[in-house]
Amino acid sequence: MSSTNRPTRISRRTAMALAGVSVVAALTATAPSMANAVSDGSSGMRHSVTQTQNAESASTAPNLRIKAANGVTYQYRRFGHPGAGSVPLVFLQHFRGTLDSWDPKLIDTIAAKREVILVDNAGVGGSTGTTASTVQQMALDAVDFIDALKLPRYDVLGFSLGGEVAQEVALRRPWQVRRVVLAATGPQGGVDQRASDPNILGRALKDNPGPEDYLFLFFKNTPSSQAAGREFLQRLGQRTTDHDAPSSLATRDRQLTAWSEWGIPDKSKFVRLKALFQPTLVADGESDILMPAKNSRLLAKYLPDAQLHIYPDAGHGFLYQYAVQFGTEVNTFLNR
């Protein structure tokens, strides 16, 4: 029997954490507690500094809130170990993902060397407002959040749809974005970015997907990759309080529109990448069925200053399968 057909047993705690993960966003209907959230921008900033000094982990960092000039109140987590001369690393999440969707092992590996900021973009998870239906507007929404935090300089890491947003943020704020990490994503107008396989689409767009859908979409159909996927799903259960809210079906639909528009094949769009001059780390799994690795190769080809790493025996969720290795690679790249 193949590994994808093997039943995956998860605890109730893990099921709650899965509520924010892209394809398993509806496993629970219970809204997570936000009792520790901060209600206004100024106090949110003070709270975030305090938590950074306390060096919280991905499983314990509280939800913070800050209101931006666009009227959106963003939910985020800010913690880590800022080093001398380092800048914060802002994380932008994948399709249907929330704060609870990040792998604690990956985030804590990176946060051991720098300050990290995880955010729900407008209309996602615990953030207010309406989710944009274009990548360009998502980038503007992300910039409004960063402006509210008053960050003069920062790095950005984008995963999947978040990687598309990260490219736009770097293009629009070249004087602020220092370095870029693009994980399992592709350039605007790339190749085979609009999933047409009915099995892939059916699993990704389910109103109530389950762990097996996630394992199919994010991990390669090999015993080793599927085992790594099950370990990742268990790690999501490490967070026991202050969960994020799941993404809504309206957010799913608007993000799908943005993803589909970005993926319309158009080689003329590649020229825009020449303006993204920041040093960039591009990475993917060699068997990514959601964002084929050929798109990472296109990014590496057209970006002026890029390095490429394709991880073996891995799919879209390579960064969770290789959490420590990729986290270490990210820190090494950002420290150069």
Side-chain angles (χ1 to χ4, degrees):
M1 183 172 66
S2 72
S3 57
T4 52
N5 291 328
R6 191 181 308 158
T8 300
R9 294 180 174 85
I10 59 174
S11 66
R12 174 176 172 80
R13 179 186 303 170
T14 302
M16 291 181 67
L18 286 172
V21 181
S22 66
V23 299
V24 284
L27 276 182
T28 177
T30 304
S33 167
M34 290 163 48
N36 295 329
V38 180
S39 60
D40 64 83
S42 59
S43 60
M45 189 62 181
R46 288 195 298 270
H47 194 184
S48 67
V49 171
T50 300
Q51 295 304 328
T52 296
Q53 292 172 344
N54 289 341
E56 296 278 359
S57 72
S59 299
T60 62
N63 295 329
L64 307 173
R65 293 169 71 81
I66 191 167
K67 189 171 184 178
N70 61 356
V72 173
T73 298
Y74 292 86
Q75 184 156 280
Y76 68 104
R77 295 172 187 158
R78 185 174 185 177
F79 58 98
H81 296 77
S86 68
V87 300
L89 177 60
V90 179
F91 286 73
L92 301 173
Q93 187 56 287
H94 62 72
F95 176 63
R96 295 178 77 173
T98 69
L99 300 178
D100 286 348
S101 305
W102 292 108
D103 187 342
K105 181 181 285 188
L106 170 68
I107 300 302
D108 286 345
T109 297
I110 296 173
K113 301 295 184 181
R114 65 192 62 256
E115 182 180 28
V116 299
I117 301 173
L118 319 179
V119 61
D120 285 334
N121 210 344
V124 177
S127 293
T128 67
T130 301
T131 303
S133 57
T134 67
V135 171
Q136 290 75 17
Q137 184 57 52
M138 290 177 183
L140 293 175
D141 290 337
V143 165
D144 280 331
F145 163 73
I146 293 166
D147 285 350
L149 290 183
K150 296 180 170 52
L151 300 180
R153 192 82 163 148
Y154 52 91
D155 298 324
V156 61
L157 184 154
F159 174 26
S160 192
L161 176 62
E164 298 169 4
V165 177
Q167 292 172 56
E168 290 294 311
V169 171
L171 286 168
R172 293 165 187 268
R173 289 295 180 93
W175 64 91
Q176 288 183 325
V177 177
R178 188 187 68 105
R179 288 180 176 245
V180 181
V181 179
L182 301 176
T185 191
Q188 185 176 15
V191 294
D192 297 334
Q193 295 186 85
R194 292 151 57 90
S196 57
D197 184 309
N199 194 20
I200 295 175
L201 278 176
R203 290 173 182 267
L205 301 181
K206 278 185 182 179
D207 288 359
N208 297 284
E212 294 301 330
D213 299 305
Y214 195 88
L215 290 173
F216 173 83
L217 291 168
F218 273 54
F219 296 88
K220 188 175 180 180
N221 187 20
T222 62
S224 53
S225 185
Q226 289 291 301
R230 289 190 292 273
E231 290 172 3
F232 159 67
L233 293 180
Q234 292 292 339
R235 288 197 296 272
L236 292 185
Q238 292 175 7
R239 189 174 185 88
T240 59
T241 61
D242 212 12
H243 289 282
D244 197 3
S247 289
S248 68
L249 297 182
T251 287
R252 175 201 65 184
D253 295 343
R254 295 180 73 85
Q255 287 183 338
L256 180 62
T257 298
W259 178 27
S260 298
E261 188 276 337
W262 180 270
I264 296 172
D266 186 352
K267 292 182 179 179
S268 69
K269 300 291 187 182
F270 296 170
V271 70
R272 300 176 73 246
L273 295 173
K274 297 296 184 183
L276 203 164
F277 57 80
Q278 296 94 330
T280 304
L281 171 63
V282 181
D284 199 358
E286 50 92 6
S287 297
D288 190 339
I289 62 174
L290 287 172
M291 185 65 68
K294 63 183 77 173
N295 288 287
S296 288
R297 294 188 174 94
L298 283 172
L299 286 169
K301 177 181 178 180
Y302 286 96
L303 288 168
D305 187 2
Q307 62 184 67
L308 175 67
H309 188 170
I310 303 298
Y311 283 78
D313 185 40
H316 198 62
F318 79 94
L319 66 173
Y320 301 153
Q321 181 170 340
Y322 294 93
V324 173
Q325 296 94 317
F326 182 63
T328 301
E329 183 177 18
V330 168
N331 278 334
T332 300
F333 167 73
L334 295 179
N335 284 338
R336 287 177 181 164

